[in-house]
Amino acid sequence: LNKMTVQDDSPTKMSAVPDILSQAPSIAACYLRPHPVCCLFISWNGCIVLVYDGFPPPLVQAKTRIASNNNAENFGSKWPKTTLGAVTDDADELSEEQ
């Protein structure tokens, strides 16, 4: 597999990820817990994200398995979060008051 980037998310490369994750041993189910101090965060380009309190061991295992197959990890996926809202590329960024 080639390195995957935001600009290079072709269906062929993206379809390889389920194959990588389905390899033995299986990865256990897990839960993400919101960060106890500050669970909402304004990310790049004003995107609102829900921030979690670290990656549980099964997700670390999945991330390691994907990385070991030469898939580069983007900066934004190195910390646990879920995007709750996104804006278009030409929208103004949110202010602190918003």
Side-chain angles (χ1 to χ4, degrees):
L1 295 173
N2 293 328
K3 291 183 177 181
M4 242 187 332
T5 65
V6 173
Q7 294 78 27
D8 189 15
D9 57 358
S10 68
T12 303
K13 291 180 182 163
M14 294 299 287
S15 66
V17 172
D19 293 337
I20 293 167
L21 294 178
S22 65
Q23 297 169 358
S26 63
I27 296 172
C30 63
Y31 294 94
L32 290 165
R33 293 188 176 104
H35 193 280
V37 176
C38 181
C39 63
L40 294 176
F41 184 79
I42 304 299
S43 185
W44 297 106
N45 296 323
C47 295
I48 300 170
V49 296
L50 174 63
V51 181
Y52 301 108
D53 191 23
F55 286 109
L59 287 184
V60 172
Q61 180 184 7
K63 289 166 68 62
T64 301
R65 191 176 293 178
I66 292 168
S68 69
N69 282 274
N70 296 322
N71 287 298
E73 184 171 13
N74 293 321
F75 175 76
S77 65
K78 292 184 179 183
W79 52 288
K81 66 187 177 321
T82 299
T83 300
L84 300 177
V87 296
T88 62
D89 288 338
D90 58 350
D92 293 333
E93 291 189 18
L94 292 174
S95 68
E96 284 188 38
E97 294 78 32
Q98 291 173 312

